[in-house]
Amino acid sequence: MDLRLLSSFLAVVEEGHFGRAAARLFLSPPAVTQHIRRLESELGTRLLYRSPVSPTPAGERLAGHARTLLAAANAALDDLAGVAEAGPAPVRPLRVGIMGHGSAELTPAAINAYRRARPEVPVQIRQLDYTEHVSALTGDRVDVAFVRPAPEDERITADVLTTEQRIVVVPQSSPLADAREEGARLADVAALPFFRVPPHTPRVFTDYLYFGLDSGRRGPCALTPQDVLTGVVTGRAAGSGLKSFARYYAWPGALFVPVLDAPWESSYLAVRTADRDPEVRIFRALALALARELGPRIAEGPLDHAIR
């Protein structure tokens, strides 16, 4: 597929006007119109309504894919721009850190998209515990990390990938068990025995875990979601997370209750601010392109097709 056609199509979708799209691309309006016709002919379907200009259902789907493809192409061109002719350098693996379930379905979607775009680069996955919110990156143990909330560290740059409702996870014996359908409020969860984390856990992460509340009542120590759920199903602790947490950790005996008045929170892709590794840039571009397409839908529920 000719990327010029995709570029023209995406410009028309984003501008909502053939003339403005042509001006943005430094092309004539007839040239942009011809690009759209060629693309529709190649794909065998109508992509744009003409009056007013807006994408058809097929065009909506293609727009998401076009953003991903163009982002990957641009990142690849940047990568090749400075390559010398001295021969290929040794291939260094891209190390991906994932805290908990990362950014839900977006996590495997981004990793698989990168593997398709850069099949020659090995990918190493590292599961991060709660204390590694920042240190895995600053300690050079991973190159990119799916974390939450946003790190408060100038050495780290973080991009929003998903934004979701907050939940608490409690045992079936909890007084909040009856609220799993209608939801609870912050006042209801303030006295829960949330699990403890080690003292060197970043404060921004503990504030996120405890909703900024400080009841002084804490359960056993935990470093991973599995630790949390073990404490929950044995009746010793409560946990918190994003709504998608329930899809990934549906343990028997654990109930997931939405917290209606808690601010929605985001998951992030974090990288080292000073890192100029082209592979990191390519992965980041792909993840952000996918986030624009899938992020809002992840907040609504599971996306089975997103992981393929």
Side-chain angles (χ1 to χ4, degrees), residues 170-178 180 232-233 251-255:
V170 296
Q172 289 180 332
S173 59
S174 170
L176 289 182
D178 292 338
R180 62 184 182 275
V232 168
V233 298
W251 282 30
L255 301 178

Side-chain angles (χ1 to χ4, degrees), residues 30-264:
V32 172
T33 299
Q34 183 62 27
H35 284 177
I36 301 303
R37 287 175 177 165
R38 283 179 55 193
L39 192 58
E40 289 179 326
S41 177
E42 286 184 14
L43 297 177
T45 187
R46 189 175 188 182
L47 300 173
L48 293 170
Y49 299 118
R50 265 47 173 193
S51 183
V53 176
S54 63
T56 65
E60 289 277 7
R61 294 293 298 274
L62 180 63
H65 295 303
R67 291 188 181 95
T68 301
L69 289 169
L70 292 171
N74 289 333
L77 289 174
D78 289 343
D79 178 23
L80 293 173
V83 174
E85 297 181 358
V91 178
R92 176 178 178 272
L94 182 76
R95 300 165 298 170
V96 180
I98 305 174
M99 179 178 285
H101 70 298
S103 296
E105 289 86 355
L106 189 58
T107 304
I111 293 170
N112 290 337
Y114 176 80
R115 282 175 166 152
R116 289 191 295 270
R118 303 289 287 166
E120 69 277 18
V121 180
V123 176
Q124 295 179 352
I125 306 297
R126 178 188 171 116
Q127 201 69 38
L128 304 181
D129 67 41
Y130 298 140
T131 68
E132 297 178 293
H133 181 241
V134 170
S135 62
L137 281 165
T138 59
D140 195 27
R141 296 192 295 278
V142 299
D143 302 304
V144 299
F146 291 89
V147 302
R148 57 187 169 284
E152 292 182 349
D153 191 311
E154 63 184 10
R155 297 170 294 176
I156 304 298
T157 296
D159 301 298
V160 173
L161 295 183
T162 64
T163 302
E164 301 180 56
Q165 186 180 39
R166 295 298 306 279
I167 57 96
V168 290
V169 53
V170 296
Q172 289 180 332
S173 59
S174 170
L176 289 182
D178 292 338
R180 62 184 182 275
E181 297 296 335
E182 66 271 20
R185 297 193 171 272
L186 285 170
D188 302 320
V189 307
L192 288 175
F194 288 112
F195 62 90
R196 291 179 293 109
V197 290
H200 58 284
T201 304
R203 176 60 185 270
V204 65
F205 188 74
T206 59
D207 286 346
Y208 159 81
L209 288 177
Y210 306 141
F211 298 93
L213 305 171
D214 189 12
S215 68
R217 187 182 178 198
R218 296 286 180 259
C221 187
L223 286 173
T224 67
Q226 289 76 15
D227 295 338
V228 174
L229 288 161
T230 298
V232 168
V233 298
T234 56
R236 297 182 299 152
S240 70
L242 302 178
K243 182 180 178 181
S244 58
F245 186 94
R247 300 201 294 273
Y248 285 79
Y249 299 105
W251 282 30
L255 301 178
F256 302 90
V257 181
V259 184
L260 303 177
D261 56 344
W264 284 35

Side-chain angles (χ1 to χ4, degrees), residues 9-25 53:
F9 166 71
L10 194 58
V12 174
V13 170
E14 293 177 348
E15 297 292 340
H17 191 275
F18 278 79
R20 289 196 296 271
R24 168 173 149 183
L25 298 169
V53 176

Side-chain angles (χ1 to χ4, degrees), residues 277-301:
D277 186 340
E279 299 305 327
V280 170
R281 295 171 62 191
I282 292 171
F283 189 95
R284 185 181 178 193
L286 288 168
L288 289 176
L290 284 166
R292 286 190 291 268
E293 178 187 3
L294 302 179
R297 292 154 59 195
I298 285 173
E300 300 171 1

